[in-house]
Amino acid sequence: MSFVLHITSRAASGREIVRTRTVDRDVLTIGRDPASDIHLTDLEVTRHHADIRRLEGHRVAVHTLAGLPVLVDGRSTEQAEIDATRGGEIRIGAAWIAIAAGEDGAIAVSISRDSQPLEGAEETGKRFSLAGAALGKRPMAWTLALAILVIFLAWPIWSFTHAPAKLTDAQMAGGYKHIDQSWSSGPLSRAHAGISDCKACHVAAFVAVPDTACQSCHTDIAAHADLDRQARAKPRPGGIASLKLAIADMFGRDPGRCVDCHTEHSGPGTMPAMAETQCAACHADMKSKLPDTKLGDAGDFARLHPQFQPAVMTTPGDYPRFTRIPIADPMARVQDSGLKFPHALHLSRLSGVARMQASLGRKPLDCAECHIPDDSGARFKPVSMERNCSQCHSLAFDRVGGTVRTLRHGNAAQVIADILAAGGSGGPAMLADRGRPGEIRAAPGYGGGGTGGAAMVRAIFSPRGACYDCHVIVPPSTPGGLNYRVVPVREQSRYMGKGWFDHAAHTTAACASCHAQALTTNDSRILMLPGISTCRQCHGGDTARAPQVRSTCAMCHDYHRGNGAPHAVRMAKLLAKGGGGDADSANLGSSSGLRPRRPGGNERAPP
């Protein structure tokens, strides 16, 4: 052991109390800091005033740390050595520290407070006290309490009851505000910044905001799920949570209110999204509470989240059929959109497509040639023949003088009629198979007249024909007939009906980093969506740290039922566009209940 401390203090009766403890270190710290080995409370002592260091044998060294001298055996000094076998005394403020040799080679240190303060100490204490310059503690407490009641209770109530019914132009220009706004915990979010009347939400004094106040504007808000199933899925509160629920019930604060998740007065930005723990409270153990549910347990994206199950079009046509397919099953990743498109062929740098592009003075094709972002940036515009395909694939079939005639894309009956009419006219040769823009070649067996027209129709809807190689063709219902039909193309814009993905936030990533199948497959039935393992390479859960992206439930999911984007994503799009939005995002927002109407009118306005 190095030091044995004997700390002497006095009880109220005057009896001395000695406490002993051992410090097994070679250095003792002295100061007003509570963490000091020798804690002195005098104001003339600094937080780290001095230390005592053990030297060889029974010698110790005293060093001051604040540049203030101490008394060592009656001599004022900033550094001194003491032989413990002979003993020595240190005076710091009103404290005496005696150094002596202890048992088993230890250094005994006795600390006591001088009952007679140093000369001038009393005056020094008064200089550090507010007693002579301010009220006592009790009068000060009553004064401040009354001031708070007057300024923040009586005055706001009086101001509210005597407020003008209508503000003048001068008051509005001057930014007139009620004094009762001192009760506000902060500014409103950007979505509600236009609300100037507190009573629009706080319908009654000292009563929490009811759901009816929210629903007066958000008229078409949808429930998250069946209310009975929601109640069964919620965790059962216990302990402190049960007590809080009972107290809230006494004051009319029913659980599950809008304000439980949508917290206001948190700043002028967007309203904070729901915390992940709020979602996980029900969804982390959903199977045990609702055995019949088709939803997998989800608590954190990085640790507990089911594999993606996109709704894939498995039967195209006028009445398409969609089936949920787990991405983890590679054999089940098949869709049928009615379109044949070899991705790898078009993206290859060595294929005939690349050579044709080079011959036309163009660079090789990439994803951006066909997949053009929509106005929101979240998704893409539908691929069209006129905008994306016709630059390489010609629909020309006839030339009359200097005018080239083209097929009516998207209307098989009109295509057949145009070809028969041109074939019966005995005009020049017509195109049957796929060709470059401006290229017109003779159809097989074409010799003019009705027979040639019929052959042209059959050729164009047969293998290597202009329609066959891209579309699913339904042959004529009668042998020798010409009533060919084309299965309508149904291009899916969304696969995750219960989730949301924003392409605009991923513009720095290469398309193939998520859609790698596009570089290797020519089968358009292969679903080119990434699985959850791909997303987890960049996205972590609620507690993720850089370089991973912190990803909560609200980033991809909307609490209220509907096909719209989550609130945070849609708000970002609207704000980036200055409060506007394209027709698609506007419709989605309305269907999901996120687009409120203005009070007193039918006009819908972005929040």
Side-chain angles (χ1 to χ4, degrees):
M1 64 183 68
S2 294
F3 296 97
V4 178
L5 304 185
H6 304 282
I7 304 172
T8 303
S9 59
R10 292 183 179 274
S13 61
R15 179 173 59 89
E16 286 190 351
I17 302 174
V18 180
R19 297 180 176 87
T20 302
R21 65 187 180 92
T22 301
V23 178
D24 192 14
R25 291 200 308 273
D26 291 334
V27 180
L28 285 179
T29 57
I30 305 172
R32 195 152 40 89
D33 190 337
S36 301
D37 297 319
I38 302 177
H39 179 212
L40 305 178
T41 59
D42 294 349
L43 292 176
E44 55 189 305
V45 179
T46 63
R47 293 182 66 246
H48 305 287
H49 200 93
D51 63 27
I52 301 175
R53 297 175 180 271
R54 183 161 185 172
L55 305 177
E56 292 183 358
H58 289 82
R59 299 189 63 81
V60 296
V62 181
H63 296 270
T64 61
L65 305 177
L68 300 175
V70 298
L71 294 178
V72 179
D73 292 334
R75 182 169 60 90
S76 178
T77 181
E78 294 185 14
Q79 183 175 343
E81 291 187 8
I82 299 175
D83 187 350
T85 58
R86 297 175 55 186
E89 290 183 339
I90 305 170
R91 178 67 180 261
I92 301 178
W96 285 99
I97 302 175
I99 306 296
E103 297 178 355
D104 298 330
I107 303 297
V109 181
S110 300
I111 303 100
S112 61
R113 185 176 180 84
D114 196 347
S115 58
Q116 296 295 328
L118 292 175
E119 183 178 354
E122 184 176 352
E123 292 299 324
T124 302
K126 289 182 179 179
R127 286 198 299 269
F128 283 99
S129 174
L130 296 176
L135 297 174
K137 295 181 180 179
R138 182 165 296 179
M140 179 68 73
W142 280 108
T143 301
L144 292 177
L146 290 174
I148 291 173
L149 289 175
V150 171
I151 297 174
F152 297 106
L153 181 61
W155 189 11
I157 292 175
W158 180 88
S159 173
F160 181 79
T161 56
H162 291 76
K166 185 177 181 181
L167 299 181
T168 64
D169 293 339
Q171 288 173 326
M172 294 180 65
Y176 176 86
K177 294 184 179 180
H178 295 297
I179 189 60
D180 62 348
Q181 289 186 338
S182 61
W183 294 349
S184 174
S185 59
L188 289 169
S189 65
R190 192 179 288 116
H192 294 141
I195 300 177
S196 58
D197 185 6
C198 300
K199 291 186 290 185
C201 300
H202 301 277
V203 296
F206 304 104
V207 175
V209 176
D211 285 354
T212 53
C214 304
Q215 293 167 352
S216 62
C217 293
H218 301 271
T219 54
D220 52 358
I221 203 74
H224 178 56
D226 180 77
L227 296 180
D228 178 64
R229 292 179 67 81
Q230 286 190 69
R232 289 162 54 194
K234 287 182 178 180
R236 300 296 177 262
I240 299 298
S242 179
L243 178 61
K244 289 181 178 180
L245 187 62
I247 296 174
D249 185 63
M250 292 173 56
F251 290 92
R253 297 173 62 91
D254 299 328
R257 298 176 306 136
C258 301
V259 295
D260 286 350
C261 301
H262 302 288
T263 306
E264 259 298 354
H265 296 287
S266 297
T270 56
M271 189 179 295
M274 284 182 61
E276 185 174 275
T277 53
Q278 292 177 282
C279 303
C282 296
H283 284 269
D285 192 22
M286 183 78 76
K287 288 289 186 181
S288 64
K289 303 166 187 173
L290 299 173
D292 61 331
T293 184
K294 296 181 180 179
L295 299 176
D297 290 341
D300 183 88
F301 185 74
R303 298 184 298 272
L304 180 62
H305 194 285
Q307 178 61 266
F308 302 147
Q309 289 189 330
V312 179
M313 184 188 304
T314 52
T315 303
D318 296 328
Y319 303 97
R321 179 181 178 182
F322 296 86
T323 306
R324 285 199 172 275
I325 298 175
I327 289 183
D329 184 358
M331 299 304 295
R333 300 175 67 175
V334 176
Q335 63 177 344
D336 195 347
S337 63
L339 181 69
K340 306 171 187 176
F341 184 81
H343 274 89
L345 175 67
H346 285 76
L347 294 176
S348 173
R349 296 296 186 264
L350 302 175
S351 66
V353 176
R355 292 195 297 271
M356 186 188 75
Q357 287 289 99
S359 67
L360 297 175
R362 302 171 182 171
K363 65 179 183 179
L365 295 177
D366 57 19
C367 302
E369 294 285 346
C370 297
H371 300 286
I372 302 172
D374 61 12
D375 292 339
S376 71
R379 289 183 283 172
F380 297 97
K381 296 178 180 179
V383 177
S384 69
M385 176 67 187
E386 293 76 11
R387 181 175 61 244
N388 305 110
C389 307
S390 62
Q391 59 179 329
C392 297
H393 296 278
S394 174
L395 292 180
F397 74 96
D398 192 10
R399 178 181 285 114
V400 178
T403 302
V404 175
R405 298 176 64 187
T406 59
L407 300 176
R408 309 286 184 90
H409 185 266
N411 191 333
Q414 187 67 52
V415 167
I416 295 171
D418 287 346
I419 292 176
L420 292 177
S425 65
M430 298 183 299
L431 174 70
D433 59 355
R434 294 179 291 114
R436 297 179 181 182
E439 188 177 63
I440 302 177
R441 289 171 290 162
Y446 176 73
T451 303
M456 174 67 176
V457 170
R458 295 188 179 93
I460 206 169
F461 288 106
S462 300
R464 294 292 301 168
C467 300
Y468 183 91
D469 283 0
C470 296
H471 295 277
V472 177
I473 306 300
V474 179
S477 55
T478 58
L482 296 178
N483 57 331
Y484 290 91
R485 290 191 306 110
V486 176
V487 174
V489 175
R490 293 290 186 266
E491 183 182 358
Q492 282 190 242
S493 60
R494 289 189 65 186
Y495 291 87
M496 306 293 187
K498 301 298 183 181
W500 183 260
F501 181 84
D502 187 2
H503 280 91
H506 297 78
T507 53
T508 57
C511 300
S513 63
C514 294
H515 308 285
Q517 301 92 333
L519 302 177
T520 59
T521 181
N522 283 319
D523 189 346
S524 61
R525 297 173 302 166
I526 298 298
L527 180 62
M528 300 183 187
L529 292 181
I532 193 171
S533 59
T534 302
C535 299
R536 282 173 172 167
Q537 294 177 8
C538 298
H539 292 268
D542 189 31
T543 58
R545 296 184 179 181
Q548 278 204 317
V549 179
R550 177 177 172 267
S551 307
T552 62
C553 303
M555 177 179 284
C556 302
H557 296 282
D558 183 15
Y559 177 82
H560 297 285
R561 287 190 301 189
N563 293 323
H567 182 70
V569 174
R570 200 180 65 85
M571 279 297 297
K573 300 303 175 189
L574 291 173
L575 293 174
K577 295 171 67 64
D582 59 6
D584 187 31
S585 62
N587 291 334
L588 290 176
S590 176
S591 67
S592 61
L594 292 173
R595 200 172 181 84
R597 63 175 178 82
R598 293 175 179 171
N602 294 323
E603 181 184 0
R604 294 189 176 275

